[in-house]
Amino acid sequence: METTMLLVLGLGNRLLGDDAAGPIVIEQFVQRHGECPGVSWRDGGTLGLSLLPEIEDADALVVVDAARFGAAPGTVQVFEGLDMDEQLGGRKQSAHELALADLMGAAALGGRLPPRRALVAVEPASTALGLEPTPAVAAALPVLVAAVEALVARWALPGSSGSDHAGTDVNSDVNSDEGVAAPVCPALQEVAHEA
């Protein structure tokens, strides 16, 4: 299988309200940016072992998901590297959060955990049956998209520097990274220059 430089994976169930945030963000990316060389946008749904090879083959991984981390509903936070591992190792709030932790653990055991990895999470208000996210999470979708765009712009080029930053609250400043290289996706050029 050909190596994917950067895998952007949206997780969640579209029938469970705020849990749909990950797939919605992926859908918006495809509409906004189309195909980008070296970047794979993937709606991972509620996960499965079939995603393990894609995770193992990625040089960098960005997961977008609704996850509980003790903040107000609609709060967006980025967990990079070891902070992502710690977030996934805590108390699980959903079946796919547990499955993601298992997949990351399996990749680590095989020595194929992506060295650059981040969880871009939004605190859900409700994951009850529903076809639309709550107002708090719907309002946070542009912040989620901007946070993912910033990571893609930072990590999409060979040789660009990635680091294991602490969990970052991105609600006020999604483009806080310094030294962003030009992305491989021309549509993200502006994001790289703003950062």
Side-chain angles (χ1 to χ4, degrees):
M1 179 182 284
E2 185 176 302
T3 299
T4 300
M5 182 186 309
L6 174 59
L7 173 62
V8 182
L9 183 63
L11 300 181
N13 187 329
R14 287 183 177 265
L15 302 177
L16 297 179
D18 292 342
D19 199 45
I24 290 171
V25 167
I26 296 301
E27 184 176 89
Q28 290 183 4
F29 261 93
V30 171
Q31 290 172 354
R32 288 176 67 163
H33 301 296
E35 289 190 26
C36 297
V39 180
S40 176
W41 316 111
R42 179 83 151 86
D43 179 345
T46 54
L47 271 177
L49 283 175
S50 63
L51 292 174
L52 182 59
E54 291 180 62
I55 291 171
E56 290 179 330
D57 287 344
D59 295 319
L61 171 68
V62 177
V63 178
V64 190
D65 195 9
R68 297 200 186 277
F69 48 90
T75 300
V76 174
Q77 190 156 343
V78 177
F79 299 91
E80 286 189 46
L82 298 176
D83 291 313
M84 177 183 182
D85 301 343
E86 186 176 317
Q87 172 67 18
L88 293 176
R91 187 170 158 223
K92 305 302 180 292
Q93 301 292 330
S94 69
H96 55 86
E97 200 175 348
L98 178 62
L100 177 60
D102 289 343
L103 285 174
M104 299 298 281
L109 279 174
R112 299 182 65 188
L113 185 66
R116 296 180 190 175
R117 57 195 179 277
L119 171 64
V120 180
V122 61
E123 181 82 31
S126 172
T127 54
L129 194 62
L131 298 177
E132 299 291 332
T134 62
V137 170
L141 289 173
V143 180
L144 273 171
V145 169
V148 175
E149 283 177 337
L151 284 167
V152 171
R154 202 171 95 213
W155 288 351
L157 276 182
S160 63
S161 64
S163 61
D164 291 349
H165 290 239
T168 306
D169 184 335
V170 297
N171 292 291
S172 59
D173 184 12
V174 296
N175 293 321
S176 60
D177 297 308
E178 296 178 10
V180 176
V184 292
C185 187
L188 290 172
Q189 188 77 29
E190 197 172 305
V191 174
H193 287 303
E194 288 174 0

